[in-house]
């Protein structure tokens, strides 16, 4: 009898257990992190992420493109000196850009066709095209059509860079159309908070899209066909496209370039291993051109700024300035709240300068891609460069006593004999293009250096003397192992992760000397 | 006191009443642990006269002088006493007969079984054996003792972390470490390192899953079932002991002592020799010549440090001798209805890293109380607290130490506050800090408090039915505070160093953790014997709940130097907190049939439901069957064989699994909330009141399942010639499927990892043990034993889309990988380009080796062969024990190796006397026949120095993983102990000391490494104790040896 009651009792216990079991185990909701989000919350971060990546692209462009060279006190430059790139060199550019693209893709996926979010959708699409152009210009063929699909495709195939360029131009057209078709009564406007790039100014977004499209077409129209080569009537960027969500000297919130190159938010040293390159310096100090105005806002202790040729060894090269650390701060004592390249820990991160927009238009004029006067755009570009450099960290206020218009005029007067400055002297198309690209190269110095490097590879401007050992005549490393006549590399390798995880698709046999980006020489 | 008096009276009484012919003999029989043996038989040889011992182990018998008393007791070896005229009282210690098949052991779920019934390999280790070398951590006492059990000290330091793996690794990224069960409660692995080894009564090592299938979803890795000591009826005793242990460096990396600071980068002499530099960290300067040279830049006061340019050997003396002091006490008591065990230990450790400290205090209270004849209660409570005060920059300090040329008087920089050349402002090296400054400026204090307890009721309402309810709790409460001090350099120091010395802003991190694990087990066992059969049925449920919470905050940029608080900053602290909860419900049954006490069949089944997976995938069934056949009982011919003590055959099959959403057995996330992708703020957000979220980078497969390990094992145990020889042999084979892998994927998918079920690993191996006891007499015991295990595991597949899976890897891609078709894990990395004969291809003009940039397999990281050899010698009161261990069949990547080369300290860099050299065993391409190669005897590498030459070249030397891969084999003298029991005759004078033992012992006293391993102990793992990515070491502190002495008294 006793036995039976025990069996019954345990039977009841099991039944009770069964019914409450489900409830007892239903505790797997994440109390720590969100498992969902909204376009409003993701878009601003994606914009700031893109800006952070641009800072890395600028480093890459500066280190390869003659803007920066190794500084004293450091060794281990390895492939920075030899150009014998391995798959781990600059691999972060690839992974971070795709990571930012995924955030943009989330915005696109969650806003597609939603009348509430056309502006979010368009902004994400424009930045997607912008980021993909960065990838193509660095790696040539990259996954696009099948990329960013998560588990749907774990090993995306690579799109041919030549077919990708027109697709990106189409995306920009779609974005512009989306903005223009938006129902302003329904659509949620971007604000200064959700749009740290243009503060919700949709005209600027359209101009930005137009300018990126112009860059694609200028760069590639010689070898690929674009389906639509007309541009929206809103025209091209006339102001700098600068991201600033409110960078400040605080944990994780410091302006990326400043944090990398000058000081961390706690006052620790930035990167001291690189210094101004002799090559680009020769465009300021009178060796090739004379540009004291911009030189002295850009460089520490200008014109006495130490500079070096990439590859020249340890001991003879001065170390970074002891007191201010930053090479790119136009002062010998104070840091921050200054004009120049490194303006302060609160400075914005330019995605595209107005100067670049003007120089692109000038080239487009020369090549009859858009109508207009190349000379006007050329001078506008120079003036815009002065203007950006003279702005304080807020990117709005000109530094006291600095006048970009007047100084640009002085610059033009001081270099009146050079066709690189005096556009009237550039009589041939080649000279005109050289002048435009060289001025662009100068304007992008340590700001968007990757574009300077791209344009060199496309046009071979600014001119260098192949194989020269003179640091003012070439920016190639003295220890270059490149087989090219100019002793420069032609591109980076795909990252090791692609060979590990997407080995069936990643192109093999890539050489850092002979494999070219499709538009490159 | 009353007791001593009574004993004294009794003794006196016996003395007075002594007379000739037959006289009353008294005596006391105890085990080695001093516990009395009740019911031991005392028989006069050649007669039928005999008696048995009482609960205090005492006996009284009348015998003539010259008679021989034969003492025997179940589970002990028989002994003899010769009665002599001068002595009327005898005390005797019996040695346990460890191989007795009837010994009762505790197995999975707290169920008891006899050894003969076990259908799988299990090894019982007594607490004394674990503690013979007096380690602070129990794990250290386990090394080399059990076939199939690999215990590795992965970290060194004041409280080394151990990785405990049975039968090799079977899970690619999940937990592979043995389950730890303490007093029948499954506890987090960290508990093992916080037990007082002296509290352990026995540890049952259950090698395979068949033995542990009843633990369900935690069972696949085998288990260590630890039972702590209990009081015993009629035994009241107090034990006190003190152990002092010294640690000193056992193996120094091989360094060069010929060249000092400088290098070709500073220029070359007329003879082409490198130039000296007073500030250079790289030792690629000229040969030492003993002349006085400048060291460092001149200081602000104009003084210039000068030293003789010669190696002063101080680098090796940086590590100091550490001291460990352990004080133990324990009280044992027991009456008819209750028993008590109360113990405490305080251990204080200082390590070889100067100023690193660790201490641990543990208390334990275990007891039983019989309430009714059929109602028993058992309780255990353990409280342990440990405290660390250590540097956070161990590896970096080592790095800095290496980057100091040999002529630098490092030891004099210890007083960096007072020695101006040791002070950061005046330190000679502008790029690397004074190691002494660094270790005092980067510290952490850690507090861990553990409370581990269980309460159990056993109730037998009717005959043959026993019901058990047990509740267990493990709770950890910990915090740490780590900080980097603020240091502001003088403007002179900054300028003089070219700005390389830059102000240290200082930082503080504070962390609080709390973790509780509750478990509740209820089971009933019903026994029934029907004719030749015995039936044993157990059914039960198990419920487990894990909870944890963690809060961390940190801030950088301190204001007031020396104040390490989150508020002392110009910045706001960043903080985050996480909480986790997981639950598990299990229902299980165990059915055992015995036939005539020689054939046993056991079947178990368990179903688990877990909270961390989604229904219906959160329910799993784990069955097992095991068969044991005691041939020596079943077959008459065998039974009658005098030389055969016993012979048992066993075999089992099981299917078990684990929900592997976290690979770390000590993880306090429990794998909870892993099923959905997450969003978190990134890139500095929130800014100015606006949030900004980023999509998480991990994808998760829908319908994730647990990993399932299916396997079988079979084996035999036998003993010959009255325990002269005992042998255990086991073969096992397992397949682990459905691995849960957060595999890296192409970032072009938008994500970087994908958590999915995929992959299969197979493990096979043998475990063997042979024990020989050639001499066993009253005065002498000699026994030797050896255990050998071999295993081979193989990654059968990972995933169609995955060529390989990184388990732990470095930035350059080198690391520990799983590769289909190969053993797990393998070391991968970069190698030189080689011709078909394996010779390195060099450039035909520069002589520089060409590097194959693709990551490739460079060796197997898992130790395949493991051999433990031990010997026990006893002569009268002297005991000697020694244990050696060998592991081999694997390779190790010394990831710290490039630093040795970079700094110019490694012995490698002087292989060619820093002159130009021909790369060894190299070839260059035949210019006339591309694709064929000519052996290179002539093309030299011109710059055979470092600094700007070959040895510090990232591409051609330091970045080539294969340069730093060596054999990981080792022989270690694991344990050695010599102890002396002070004779009872001496102790009797003290009137109150029952036993006293003095011992000296050592651990890891000697380590023999292959010549190629110039770096460090291959037991270390840079990936830590939780990671399966073994085979990687880095700049960990050198391995140490331990030696010391113990005094132990029993009252």
């Amino acid at each position: 009898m006793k036995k039976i009651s025990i069996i019954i009792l345990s039977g009841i216990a099991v039944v009770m257990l069964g019914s409450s079991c489900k409830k007892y185990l239903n505790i797997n909701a994440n109390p720590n992190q969100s498992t969902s989000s909204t376009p409003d919350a993701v878009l601003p971060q994606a914009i700031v992420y893109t800006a952070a990546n641009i800072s890395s692209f600028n480093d890459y462009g500066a280190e390869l493109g003659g803007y920066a060279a190794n500084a004293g006190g450091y060794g281990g430059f390895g492939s920075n000196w030899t150009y014998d790139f391995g798959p781990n060199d600059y691999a972060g550019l690839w992974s971070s850009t795709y990571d930012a693209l995924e955030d943009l893709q989330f915005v696109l996926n969650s806003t597609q066709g939603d009348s509430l979010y056309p502006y979010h959708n368009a902004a994400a699409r424009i930045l997607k095209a912008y980021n993909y152009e960065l990838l193509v210009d660095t790696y040539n063929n990259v996954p696009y059509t099948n990329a960013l699909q998560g588990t749907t495709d774990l090993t995306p195939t690579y799109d041919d860079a030549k077919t990708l360029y027109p697709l990106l131009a189409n995306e920009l057209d779609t974005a512009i159309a989306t903005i223009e078709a938006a129902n302003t009564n329904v659509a949620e406007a971007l604000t200064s908070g959700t749009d740290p790039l243009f503060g919700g100014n949709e005209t600027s977004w359209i101009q930005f899209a137009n300018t990126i499209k112009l860059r694609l077409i200028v760069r590639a129209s010689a070898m690929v066909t674009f389906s639509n080569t007309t541009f929206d009537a809103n025209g091209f960027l006339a102001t700098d496209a600068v991201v600033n969500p409110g960078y400040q000297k605080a944990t994780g919130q410091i302006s990326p370039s400043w944090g990398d190159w000058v000081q961390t938010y706690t006052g620790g040293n930035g990167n001291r291993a690189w210094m101004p390159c002799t090559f680009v310096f020769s465009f300021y100090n009178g060796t090739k051109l004379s540009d004291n105005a911009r030189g002295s806002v850009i460089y520490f202790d200008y014109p006495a700024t130490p500079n070096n040729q990439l590859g020249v060894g340890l001991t003879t090269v001065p170390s970074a300035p002891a007191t201010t650390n930053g090479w790119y701060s136009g002062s010998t004592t104070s840091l921050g709240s200054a004009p120049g390249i490194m303006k302060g820990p609160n400075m914005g991160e330019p995605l595209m300068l107005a100067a670049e927009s003007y120089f692109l238009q000038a080239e487009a004029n020369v090549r009859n891609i858009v109508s207009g006067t190349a000379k006007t755009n050329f001078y506008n570009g120079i003036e815009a460069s002065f203007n950006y450099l003279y702005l304080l960290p807020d990117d709005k206020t000109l530094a006291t006593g600095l006048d970009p218009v007047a100084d640009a005029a002085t610059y033009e007067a001081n270099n009146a004999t050079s066709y690189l400055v005096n556009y009237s002297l550039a009589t041939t198309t080649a000279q005109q293009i050289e002048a435009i690209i060289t001025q662009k190269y100068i304007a992008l110095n340590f700001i968007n250096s990757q574009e300077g490097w791209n344009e060199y590879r496309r046009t071979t401007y600014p001119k260098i003397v192949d194989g020269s050992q003179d640091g003012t005549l070439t920016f190639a490393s003295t220890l270059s192992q490149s087989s090219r006549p100019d002793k420069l590399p032609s591109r980076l390798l795909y990252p090791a992760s692609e060979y590990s995880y997407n080995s069936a698709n990643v192109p093999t046999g890539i050489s850092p000397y002979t494999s070219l980006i499709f538009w490159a020489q | 006191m009353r007791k001593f008096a009574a004993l004294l009276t009794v003794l006196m009484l016996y003395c007075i009443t002594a007379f000739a012919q037959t006289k009353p003999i008294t005596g006391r029989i105890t085990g080695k642990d001093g516990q009395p043996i009740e019911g031991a038989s005392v028989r006069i040889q050649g007669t039928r006269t005999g008696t048995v011992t009482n609960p205090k182990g005492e006996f009284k018998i009348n015998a003539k002088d010259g008679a021989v008393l034969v003492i025997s007791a179940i589970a002990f070896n028989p002994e003899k006493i010769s009665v002599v005229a001068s002595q009327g009282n005898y005390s005797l210690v019996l040695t346990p007969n460890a191989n007795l098949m009837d010994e009762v052991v505790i197995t999975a779920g707290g169920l008891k079984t006899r050894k003969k019934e076990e259908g799988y390999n299990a090894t019982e280790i007594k607490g004394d054996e674990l503690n013979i070398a007096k380690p602070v951590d129990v794990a250290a006492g386990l090394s080399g003792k059990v076939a199939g059990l690999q215990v590795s000290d992965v970290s060194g330091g004041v409280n080394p972390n151990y990785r405990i793996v049975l039968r090799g690794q079977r899970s690619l990224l999940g937990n592979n470490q043995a389950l730890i069960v303490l007093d029948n409660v499954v506890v987090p692995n960290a508990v093992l390192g916080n037990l007082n080894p002296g509290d352990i009564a026995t540890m049952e090592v259950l090698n395979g899953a068949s033995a542990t299938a009843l633990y369900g979803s935690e069972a696949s890795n085998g288990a260590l079932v630890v039972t702590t000591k209990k009081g015993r009826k009629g035994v009241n005793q107090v034990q006190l002991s003190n152990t002092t242990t010294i640690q000193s460096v056992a193996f120094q990396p091989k360094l060069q002592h010929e060249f000092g600071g400088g290098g070709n980068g500073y220029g070359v002499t007329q003879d082409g020799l490198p130039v000296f530099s007073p500030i250079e960290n790289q030792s690629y300067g000229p040969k030492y010549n003993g002349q006085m040279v400048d060291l460092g830049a001149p200081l602000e006061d104009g003084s210039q440090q000068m030293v003789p340019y010669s190696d002063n050997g101080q680098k090796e003396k940086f590590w100091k001798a550490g001291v460990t002091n352990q004080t133990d006490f324990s009280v044992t008591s027991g009456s008819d209805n209750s028993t008590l065990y109360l113990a405490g230990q305080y251990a204080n450790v200082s390590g070889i890293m100067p100023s690193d400290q660790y201490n641990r205090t543990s208390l334990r209270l275990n007891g039983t109380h019989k309430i009714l004849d059929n109602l028993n209660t058992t309780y255990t409570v353990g409280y342990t607290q440990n405290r660390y005060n250590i540097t956070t920059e161990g590896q970096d300090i080592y790095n800095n130490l290496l980057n100091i040329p040999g002529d630098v008087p490092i030891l004099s920089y210890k007083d960096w506050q007072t020695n101006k050349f040791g002070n950061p402002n005046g330190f000679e090296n502008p790029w690397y800090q004074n190691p002494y400054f660094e270790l005092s400026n980067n510290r952490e204090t850690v507090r861990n408090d553990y409370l581990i307890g269980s309460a159990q009721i056993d109730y037998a309402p009717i005959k043959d039915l026993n019901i058990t309810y047990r509740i267990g709790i493990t709770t950890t409460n910990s915090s740490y505070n780590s900080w980097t001090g603020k240091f502001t350099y003088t403007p002179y120091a900054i300028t003089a160093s070219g700005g390389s010395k830059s102000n240290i802003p200082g930082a503080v991190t504070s962390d609080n953790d709390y973790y509780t694990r509750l478990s509740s087990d209820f089971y009933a066992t019903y026994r029934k014997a029907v004719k030749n059969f015995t039936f044993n049925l157990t059914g039960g449920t198990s419920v487990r709940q894990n909870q944890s919470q963690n809060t961390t905050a940190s801030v950088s940029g301190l204001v007031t130097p020396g104040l390490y608080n989150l508020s002392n900053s110009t910045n706001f602290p960043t903080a985050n907190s996480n909480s986790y909860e997981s639950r598990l419900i299990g229902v299980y049954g165990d059915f055992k049939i015995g036939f005539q006490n020689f054939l046993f069949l056991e079947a178990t089944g368990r179903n688990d439901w877990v909270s961390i997976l989604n229904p219906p995938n959160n329910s799993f069934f784990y069955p097992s069957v095991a068969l044991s056949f005691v041939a020596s009982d079943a077959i008459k011919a065998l039974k009658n064989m005098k030389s055969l003590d016993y012979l048992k055959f066993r075999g089992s099959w099981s299917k078990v699994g684990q929900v592997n959403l976290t690979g770390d057995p000590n993880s306090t996330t429990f794998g909870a909330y892993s099923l959905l992708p997450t969003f978190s703020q990134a890139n500095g957000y929130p800014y100015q009141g606006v949030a900004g979220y980023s999509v998480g980078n991990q994808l998760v497969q829908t319908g994730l399942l647990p990993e399932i390990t299916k396997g079988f094992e079979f084996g035999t145990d036998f003993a010959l010639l009255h325990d002269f020889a005992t042998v255990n042999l086991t073969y096992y084979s397992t397949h682990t499927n459905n691995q849960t892998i957060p595999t890296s994927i192409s970032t072009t998918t938008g994500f970087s990892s994908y958590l999915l079920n995929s992959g299969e690993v197979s493990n096979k191996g043998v475990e063997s043990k042979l024990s020989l006891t050639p001499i066993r007499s009253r005065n002498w015991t000699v026994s030797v034993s050896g255990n050998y295990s071999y295993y081979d595991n193989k990654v059968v597949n990972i995933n169609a889309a995955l060529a390989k899976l990184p388990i732990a890897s470095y930035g350059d891609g080198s690391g520990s990988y799983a590769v289909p078709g190969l053993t797990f894990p393998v070391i991968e990395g970069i190698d030189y380009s080689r011709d078909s004969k394996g010779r390195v291809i060099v450039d035909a003009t520069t002589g520089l080796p060409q590097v194959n940039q693709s990551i490739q397999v460079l060796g197997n990281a898992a130790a395949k062969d493991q051999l433990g050899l031990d010997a026990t010698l006893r002569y009268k009161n002297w005991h000697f024990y020694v244990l050696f261990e060998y592991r081999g069949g694997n390779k190790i990547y010394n990831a710290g190796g490039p630093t040795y080369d970079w700094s110019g300290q490694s012995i490698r860099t002087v292989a060619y006397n820093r002159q130009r050299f021909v790369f060894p065993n190299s070839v260059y391409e035949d210019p006339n026949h591309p694709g064929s190669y000519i052996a290179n005897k002539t093309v030299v590498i011109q710059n055979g120095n470092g600094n700007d030459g070959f040895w510090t070249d990232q591409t051609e030397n330091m970045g080539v993983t294969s340069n730093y891969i060596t054999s990981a084999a080792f022989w270690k003298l694991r344990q050695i102990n010599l102890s002396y029991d002070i004779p009872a005759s001496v102790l009797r004078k003290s009137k109150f000391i029952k036993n006293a033992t003095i011992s000296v012992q050592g651990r890891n006293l000697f380590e023999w490494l292959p010549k190629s391993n110039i770096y460090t102990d291959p037991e270390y793992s840079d990936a830590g104790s939780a990671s399966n990515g073994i085979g990687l070491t880095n700049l960990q502190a050198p391995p140490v040896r331990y030696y010391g002495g113990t005094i132990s008294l029993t009252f």
Side-chain angles (χ1 to χ4, degrees), chain A residues 402-422:
Chain A
L402 293 180
D403 181 346
V405 181
D407 285 0
T410 309
Y411 173 64
E412 287 149 21
N414 287 348
N415 297 282
T417 57
S418 170
Y419 67 88
L420 296 176
V421 179
N422 186 350

Side-chain angles (χ1 to χ4, degrees), chain A residues 24-25 28 31-32 34 41 44-45 49 73 88 94 99 102-103 147-148 150-151 156 252-253 265-266 269 272 315 320 498 501, chain B residues 265-266 431 498-499 502 505 556 578-579 583 611 673 678-679 683-686 692-695 697 744 746-750 812:
Chain A
Y24 184 75
L25 295 174
N28 210 28
N32 304 319
S34 310
Q45 187 280 137
Y49 199 165
N88 293 306
W94 177 278
D99 196 16
E102 174 56 29
D103 291 338
L148 308 179
T151 51
Q253 298 193 319
Y265 76 96
T266 57
N269 277 350
R272 297 165 53 84
T315 48
E498 281 299 289
Y501 313 127
Chain B
Y266 295 91
W431 302 283
S502 92
S556 277
N578 286 296
S579 61
R583 288 176 180 157
S611 69
Y673 328 129
T678 57
F679 293 80
N683 278 298
Y685 273 96
Y693 280 81
S694 178
V695 182
N697 285 328
S744 295
S746 166
T747 47
T748 65
T749 60
D812 66 354

Side-chain angles (χ1 to χ4, degrees), chain B residues 175-243:
Chain B
N175 174 23
N176 278 311
Q177 293 200 69
L179 183 70
I180 307 295
V181 182
L182 178 67
D183 291 319
N184 301 323
V185 176
V186 175
V187 294
N189 286 44
V191 167
L192 192 68
N194 286 288
L195 284 179
N196 171 2
D199 285 347
I200 294 177
T202 63
M203 183 186 282
E204 182 84 355
V205 180
L206 303 176
N207 288 42
S210 304
T212 57
L214 267 193
Y215 290 118
S217 57
E218 295 174 305
S220 43
N221 300 319
L224 304 184
V225 180
V226 181
T227 307
T228 55
K229 287 177 179 166
K230 303 276 188 312
R232 276 175 64 171
K233 196 168 116 183
V235 182
N236 295 310
Q237 69 178 27
V238 177
Q239 271 192 317
L240 273 180
S241 74
N242 182 276
T243 301

